[in-house]
Amino acid sequence: MTNKIGRRGLAGLGAGGLAALAAPGIARAQGTQMAIATGTTGGVYYPLGGALANYLSRGIPGMSATVEVTGGSVANFQLLGAGRVGMLFGQVDAAVDGLRGAGPFRGRAVPARAIAVLYTNRMQVVTTAATGIRSIADLKGKRVSTGAPGSATELFAFRVIAAGGLDRDKDFRARERLSPAESTNAIRDGKLDAYFFVSGVPTSAITDLAATPGTQIHLVDHADLHARIVQENGPVYFPEEIPAGTYPGQTTANKQLSVANILAVREDMSAEMVTNILRVTWENREDWARVHAEARNFTLNAQKTAAAGIPWHPAAEAFWRSAGATLA
């Protein structure tokens, strides 16, 4: 990241930071630059963020929105807290920790507010049939990637590993911190046995692995760990299933754990800016769903206070109520 206002770095100060530094609460009608923190190129945040930046640049006068490729949700909330981006895609578990100043945010609480609930992120524990790995316990002694540094994949993976009775620092032959694309390549090259990745489905990195000739993917069930994880970390996770056939060669449903995704901004973003962002995003929701199928889950019914995990920005709450959402 740089400290120049441009395509990267402090471009986000246009909506979340510059407005706050120069005149809190006042939306910039012209010349606004905003960076949107997304994730790795092998996930879902990145293509959705690219499309959203395009909608906002076209739909808000004077707006120039760009995307940041990042490690994921933890990094995104850290960037938001530092005023380095104006808006982010993020998981609720990272949002809650950020707001509380807990976990990777210890001592640096993030003044984040939710503006929209998007879709569900699925924890996918990816391996191949050839490894014989069928449970989290089977990962003991294996070469495993727990996700890119700064990702919510890593945060969630550590919780699944602990609930499965494993020590992340002692029980693996090797523990890598790779992006999903890097993890897929490592499995293909025989350098990795399994990897964790939290994302919408399908996601390109796992699809690429599943489509590799001679490879039979297997997604490891772990929904049985739900009660243990919630007891330790609170009710931010819930059990779901990834249907058979979601990925090439996936013959059985995967019983896994999920967490909601949100769009979030700083609490000091102006009401006018939040309203404009939501107006443009909502108007383009049908086109957004053509970018990636997960955007179909961006609905009025999804706008629930409990699902958001952190407090709404007041302008977002007003927007969704006026659109007909109950929020309850």
Side-chain angles (χ1 to χ4, degrees), residues 4 17 59 82 139 162 178 180 219 255 270 285 290 308 328:
K4 295 180 180 179
L139 293 173
L178 305 176
L219 301 179
K255 302 179 188 305
S270 74
R285 64 188 181 280
R290 288 189 282 271

Side-chain angles (χ1 to χ4, degrees), residues 3 8 34 43 81 93 122 128 140 150 223 229 261 267 305 318 326:
N3 287 329
R8 299 181 62 80
M34 182 175 69
D93 51 356
R122 315 296 191 97
T128 65
K140 187 170 184 178
I229 291 176
N261 290 296
E267 64 180 356
T305 298
T326 63

